[in-house]
Amino acid sequence: VLRRLANISGGEYFELPDLHDVVPVCRKIAADIRNRYTIAYSPPDPGAGKSVRTIKVTASDKTDARLIVRTRTRYIVPEHAASIAKRQERGQ
């Protein structure tokens, strides 16, 4: 369950068989945080269509270096965003 939750939310899952494995994992997490970029996306019409949307992000650079992208695989449009969009469509 935790592995699936991490995958859906864009996180990572670490299963540590021994307490001594905690320090290397913490170092990896710290390095990831220092080398992370955050981007945001606002859909043009948040109220139209499905309330659950899928996301796919890919990245590349000019040197063909291996880039790792961690993202959510989907998100739910908040109820209030959908209702605001519907009111705007009706001119309210």
Side-chain angles (χ1 to χ4, degrees):
V1 172
L2 292 176
R3 186 181 321 227
R4 185 168 180 233
L5 180 61
N7 185 40
I8 290 170
S9 65
E12 279 189 278
Y13 170 81
F14 298 96
E15 186 171 334
L16 305 176
D18 190 53
L19 186 58
H20 294 94
D21 297 328
V22 170
V23 173
V25 168
C26 289
R27 286 189 178 127
K28 180 187 180 328
I29 293 168
D32 286 350
I33 290 170
R34 283 191 300 274
N35 295 298
R36 179 177 294 173
Y37 292 91
T38 302
I39 61 172
Y41 168 73
S42 295
D45 188 4
K50 301 183 291 185
S51 62
V52 176
R53 302 197 180 168
T54 58
I55 301 169
K56 181 176 181 182
V57 177
T58 57
S60 62
D61 74 349
K62 294 178 184 178
T63 65
D64 291 329
R66 182 171 175 244
L67 302 175
I68 299 170
V69 177
R70 279 191 225 110
T71 65
R72 295 180 187 185
T73 56
R74 61 185 166 214
Y75 70 98
I76 299 172
V77 176
E79 187 73 31
H80 68 278
S83 63
I84 290 169
K86 287 179 184 177
R87 283 197 305 264
Q88 287 174 346
E89 288 173 3
R90 292 189 301 244
Q92 298 178 342

